[in-house]
Amino acid sequence: MRQSATRTKIALFALVCAGVASPGAAARAQQSPSRSGPAYTAADVQFMQGMIAHHAQALEMCTMAPTHGAGEKVALFCKKVMISQRDEIQIMQSWLRDRGEKVPDPTDKNAHAMPGMDMGGDSMLMPGMLTAAQMKQLGAARGAAWDSLFLTGMIQHHGGAITMVAALFAAPGAGQTPEIFGLATGIDADQRAEIERMQG
């Protein structure tokens, strides 16, 4: 009887442990998904979370165009960026939500920091992100001066996104699921093409 009670306690303890130690983001990333295909990794999750915040700053920059006297070509470019990057943010949010991962709020300024890091200063910003001083300078400019600052800042910003894609594919096993691979390679191609356009 005592042996049976001991077994019951052990079984209950195991169940409690299983509940407490339910897999988090990193643990789930190493598990095989329920559907066939490669498993996603912690680096995939960080890329999606980071790119949401990265895109959010680009949108913040582009929304200034109508009120800051952007030239016709720059204003048109901003509209294109806003359409494409809003769509990509929704895709990334859905991807994270479907997997039970944390979905960053694009409007949260602290989300501009590297995932998992406290926002202690501009040194912690993700690659290519404009500093608070750069954003303030952009906000104060008008007309041709705004166009120039915007293009310089957006080239820097796009370069950072390319760096983030490269870091993703450099991480072991990352970027291999069809959704991640398609999104990351698409972002890389778009950013490179847009940098050439802005430099022109």
Side-chain angles (χ1 to χ4, degrees):
M1 195 72 168
R2 183 177 297 171
Q3 192 173 16
S4 176
T6 302
R7 283 180 186 155
T8 302
K9 286 179 182 178
I10 291 172
L12 286 170
F13 180 73
L15 286 171
V16 170
C17 287
V20 171
S22 58
R28 282 197 304 272
Q30 302 304 324
Q31 294 174 351
S32 297
S34 57
R35 54 191 178 280
S36 60
Y40 70 92
T41 69
D44 290 327
V45 173
Q46 290 177 352
F47 173 79
M48 295 297 242
Q49 292 170 336
M51 196 58 77
I52 287 173
H54 206 270
H55 276 18
Q57 191 184 62
L59 294 180
E60 184 182 353
M61 294 168 68
C62 287
T63 55
M64 295 183 194
T67 56
H68 287 63
E72 184 179 353
K73 289 183 179 179
V74 175
L76 187 63
F77 175 80
C78 284
K79 287 181 181 178
K80 188 265 181 190
V81 169
M82 289 177 71
I83 291 169
S84 64
Q85 296 207 6
R86 277 177 179 161
D87 287 346
E88 288 171 358
I89 285 175
Q90 289 180 354
I91 290 169
M92 292 184 283
Q93 287 176 324
S94 294
W95 188 91
L96 290 166
R97 197 174 294 113
D98 289 347
R99 287 156 182 78
E101 303 292 349
K102 180 181 178 182
V103 181
D105 177 4
T107 63
D108 180 9
K109 301 298 182 184
N110 289 330
H112 294 176
M114 292 292 287
M117 297 178 70
D118 291 328
M119 186 64 173
D122 288 333
S123 61
M124 288 184 172
L125 292 174
M126 286 177 289
M129 296 287 280
L130 271 64
T131 63
Q134 285 178 300
M135 289 297 290
K136 185 176 180 180
Q137 187 180 16
L138 182 64
R142 296 293 185 276
W146 188 86
D147 285 353
S148 180
L149 283 172
F150 170 82
L151 292 170
T152 302
M154 194 59 81
I155 288 170
Q156 169 191 319
H157 199 269
H158 276 24
I162 292 170
T163 298
M164 290 170 70
V165 171
L168 169 71
F169 287 123
Q176 299 306 303
T177 67
E179 304 97 331
I180 298 284
F181 182 83
L183 182 70
T185 54
I187 287 173
D188 185 84
D190 286 348
Q191 308 284 288
R192 290 180 188 277
E194 288 175 358
I195 285 174
E196 286 187 16
R197 186 178 170 191
M198 288 187 286
Q199 287 172 335

